[in-house]
Amino acid sequence: MSSAVRVSGLAKRYGEVRAVDGIDLEIERGEVFALLGPNGAGKSTTVEILEGHRRRDAGRVEVLGHDPGRATRQWRARLGIVAQTTREAPELTVREMVRHFAGYYPRPRDPDEVIEAVGLTDKTRTRLAGLSGGQRRRVDVALGIVGDPELLFLDEPTTGFDPEARRAFWELIRGLAHDGTTIVLTTHYMEEAEVLADRVAVIAGGRILAVDTPRELGGRATEVAEVSWLEPAEGRRTLRAASPTQVVAELAERFGGEVPGLTVARPTLEDVYLRMIGETQ
Amino acid sequence: MTAVMSRPPGAVRIGLRRGLLELRLYFREREAVVFTFLMPVMLLSIFGAIFQGELGDTGVDYRQYFTAGMIASGMMSVTFVGLGVAIATERDDGTLKRLYGTPMPRSSYFIGKTLLALTLSLLETAVLFAIGATLYGVEPPADPGRWFTLGWVFVLGVAACSLLGIAMSSLPRTGRSAPAVLNLPFLALQFTSGVFVLFDSLPGWLQQVAAIFPLKWMCQGLRSALLPDTMLAMEPAGAWEHGRIALILGGWCAAGLVLCVLTFRWKGRQDG
């Protein structure tokens, strides 16, 4: 089966600014792919070009086998787009809105089922104006998936969520991924990328710095670990160790059992990400 | 079976569903109802209570003249101002961008707006006429010819104002500034096109400026359908000028359509 997204040499400039400066990307079908990067890195521009919202200046782009610059209805019917904030139609109910959007698609999912999937069953008859920010975002997702898309774009989907809502949302996305939906996600939350994504790409200055699994990005898995413990009378001591297990074993022997305040840490995704972004500035 | 199922729904059907949705949304949003639908009703009632008296010896009362003008004005309010503000807001709040990302046919959006504009204009006309008839003695068109005039002036007027409203919706920088941008020309035209003030009593140069725009011709067309021919004594041209009305309103329809095609954007300005 072909890739869901295939991009080579993509470029886009706004006046003198090179927003996207030569991006190559390949996203497999069924994959959850996260784009990470600071504001203005070129994430949104890249995604909007893939969605057919924006024209590119150069490069080859194929999304579900078609050029998004020549979008057709049939092609759009295979995509789901959850863009950033909307404040539309405050006086329609959740059900009216989702049912209406279902009517745009050739093979929509059952609207009530979709409302249930995003956890809004008890808000079915509530007008959009009466929903909280997080609930409103779930409606956005419902509208994005009601057409039963093969490929779903999620642009910072959980901004403004409380931790509980965010976890519930992640479950929903994992369910969609499990059913075979390809998902392209942009986010500022490293934890979100770590939980959801099969692979992440780090973008800065319109270029891709690295593409890897969240576990291995920037050599995370093989990176030197930090062993830290509380030395009596001295306070906290930290040691960078290539073989941390050995260090811990030696400590355990020295303390004759439990090591006070022991932690062993490898760099988090956020550490690796910030280091990569820092190097470009 | 699957082949039939997988064909996307037709543009007209989606457009009709959009029209019904838009109507439902319109009447649930109180601001829109108050500012575009009820404002003309209010003005007709207030001005009718303040001013009255026969115009020359035409046998026509100012309030009847005013009713005809207010009906034209009401059409322009729900189409030009109503559509213009609504679309500018939809562009600003991401509604248009979201629709653009779905397989909804682009024409369905405009079919929906057409349905909204026609329904609201018909309702507005009916309500204003009912007030004019009960309070100020305005009579329905006296013969089939006048009904026909009412019909084509309505269709051309609503079409021209709708298209111009859609075109103007690209002008405001944000949804919030849209009511000001659209109401300014509307208000100016109401004073100079023979709605509040008798057209015949305006200075000649002002008459000529107003005659460039559609509202003057809509008012004149409606007077020709609703008022007796004795009114002609106080029409500057001394005739109803049906040919010219049709030509100018038709011209604005064409110009509005071209402007819409050239300027319509699915994204806001900040969106590039």
Side-chain angles (χ1 to χ4, degrees):
Chain A
M1 205 177 237
S2 66
S3 310
V5 175
R6 189 175 288 167
V7 174
S8 61
L10 179 64
K12 173 78 183 179
R13 51 198 302 166
Y14 302 119
E16 287 303 298
V17 183
R18 292 165 190 265
V20 178
D21 193 12
I23 278 184
D24 303 314
L25 204 59
E26 187 137 0
I27 300 172
E28 298 301 320
R29 282 189 192 253
E31 191 174 25
V32 178
F33 192 92
L35 285 167
L36 307 178
N39 289 328
K43 276 181 312 196
S44 294
T45 301
T46 303
V47 170
E48 291 199 333
I49 289 170
L50 299 183
E51 292 168 346
H53 271 313
R54 222 176 263 278
R55 301 201 168 279
R56 61 185 184 269
D57 295 336
R60 280 177 52 85
V61 181
E62 249 180 46
V63 176
L64 298 177
H66 287 263
D67 178 352
R70 279 188 269 270
T72 62
R73 277 190 73 193
Q74 283 75 10
W75 178 75
R76 286 201 183 281
R78 298 163 64 197
L79 300 185
I81 298 175
V82 179
Q84 288 177 25
T85 58
T86 46
R87 304 179 297 276
E88 65 183 282
E91 301 306 329
L92 289 181
T93 68
V94 171
R95 188 150 194 266
E96 286 171 329
M97 191 75 173
V98 177
R99 281 177 66 101
H100 179 76
F101 270 73
Y104 294 159
Y105 293 87
R107 283 181 307 273
R109 295 176 59 172
D110 175 52
D112 292 323
E113 210 181 282
V114 170
I115 292 170
E116 198 190 330
V118 299
L120 285 177
T121 303
D122 56 338
K123 298 283 176 190
T124 302
R125 284 168 209 285
T126 307
R127 293 191 181 177
L128 301 187
L131 299 178
S132 72
Q135 290 165 342
R136 193 63 237 251
R137 205 73 186 112
R138 285 151 179 261
V139 175
D140 292 337
V141 176
L143 300 181
I145 64 176
V146 74
D148 199 12
E150 294 168 45
L151 172 61
L152 178 64
F153 290 98
L154 295 171
D155 197 359
E156 295 178 18
T158 61
T159 303
F161 277 34
D162 59 43
E164 198 189 339
R166 178 166 295 134
R167 289 195 183 270
F169 183 83
W170 290 346
E171 275 314 304
L172 165 68
I173 299 307
R174 279 205 269 210
L176 291 171
H178 182 260
D179 295 340
T181 312
T182 309
I183 293 169
V184 177
L185 167 80
T186 68
T187 183
H188 283 304
Y189 300 109
M190 296 303 135
E191 197 192 348
E192 186 159 279
E194 187 138 32
V195 169
L196 293 178
D198 298 314
R199 287 192 303 153
V200 300
V202 178
I203 301 189
R207 290 168 181 274
I208 291 195
L209 303 181
V211 183
D212 215 326
T213 63
R215 218 173 258 285
E216 292 175 57
L217 189 78
R220 248 181 102 193
T222 55
E223 188 106 2
V224 177
E226 286 189 345
V227 180
S228 165
W229 70 97
L230 283 171
E231 190 68 47
E234 272 184 54
R236 183 155 290 280
R237 293 269 314 269
T238 302
L239 201 74
R240 288 168 59 79
S243 41
T245 316
Q246 199 188 328
V247 176
V248 172
E250 283 167 16
L251 281 170
E253 200 177 330
R254 183 149 69 79
F255 281 99
E258 209 48 44
V259 182
L262 175 71
T263 61
V264 180
R266 295 195 188 269
T268 62
L269 185 58
E270 185 152 314
D271 295 334
V272 173
Y273 167 79
L274 288 174
R275 196 182 62 208
M276 282 185 176
I277 299 301
E279 280 166 6
T280 66
Q281 281 161 356
Chain B
M1 186 64 190
T2 47
V4 177
M5 289 284 285
S6 67
R7 180 177 299 167
V12 174
R13 217 177 82 201
I14 294 182
L16 294 179
R17 290 186 52 238
R18 274 209 65 79
L20 293 178
L21 191 85
E22 296 239 26
L23 275 167
R24 197 181 303 175
L25 201 51
Y26 180 88
F27 282 105
R28 282 184 193 171
E29 275 174 0
R30 291 191 202 95
E31 291 94 343
V33 177
V34 171
F35 282 105
T36 60
F37 198 85
L38 293 183
M39 188 82 94
V41 173
M42 193 184 78
L43 288 174
L44 181 59
S45 313
I46 293 174
F47 275 65
I50 300 172
F51 303 104
Q52 52 181 291
E54 192 181 343
L55 303 171
D57 355 292
T58 57
V60 175
D61 189 273
Y62 166 78
R63 294 170 302 181
Q64 296 168 340
Y65 183 94
F66 183 50
T67 302
M70 218 48 230
I71 290 176
S73 208
M75 289 178 198
M76 187 162 174
S77 177
V78 293
T79 55
F80 179 78
V81 180
L83 282 188
V85 171
I87 295 174
T89 309
E90 289 179 342
R91 186 173 288 123
D92 201 34
D93 71 15
T95 305
L96 292 188
K97 192 178 171 188
R98 165 132 66 196
L99 289 175
Y100 188 79
T102 72
M104 177 200 77
R106 307 290 165 256
S107 56
S108 300
Y109 177 77
F110 296 101
I111 293 172
K113 289 290 180 206
T114 306
L115 199 64
L116 179 72
L118 272 179
T119 312
L120 292 182
S121 301
L122 267 176
L123 279 175
E124 181 84 57
T125 302
V127 169
L128 292 172
F129 178 79
I131 294 172
T134 39
L135 297 181
Y136 315 136
V138 178
E139 303 214 355
D143 52 69
R146 283 171 192 258
W147 273 109
F148 178 68
T149 306
L150 179 65
W152 69 255
V153 171
F154 177 88
V155 169
L156 282 180
V158 166
C161 290
S162 298
L163 288 164
L164 289 173
I166 296 172
M168 282 284 284
S169 75
S170 298
L171 227 49
R173 295 192 159 269
T174 63
R176 209 173 299 174
S177 62
V181 171
L182 281 128
N183 270 306
L184 190 74
F186 177 51
L187 200 61
L189 286 183
Q190 278 182 297
F191 277 104
T192 56
S193 299
V195 179
F196 301 144
V197 184
L198 206 62
F199 192 74
D200 198 39
S201 67
L202 296 173
W205 66 270
L206 202 52
Q207 290 184 354
Q208 273 158 18
V209 173
I212 300 170
F213 300 101
L215 187 60
K216 184 257 180 196
W217 302 98
M218 290 160 65
C219 291
Q220 190 170 320
L222 287 172
R223 287 199 295 274
S224 79
L226 295 172
L227 304 181
D229 282 345
T230 50
M231 189 63 219
L232 282 174
M234 298 197 76
E235 294 290 340
W240 291 125
E241 301 180 289
H242 280 160
R244 184 169 286 182
I245 294 174
L247 199 69
I248 289 172
L249 291 183
W252 274 110
C253 287
L257 186 63
V258 170
L259 274 176
C260 286
V261 171
L262 292 180
T263 63
F264 194 85
R265 291 174 292 117
W266 293 87
K267 283 185 285 187
R269 287 191 194 215
Q270 309 88 322
D271 248 345

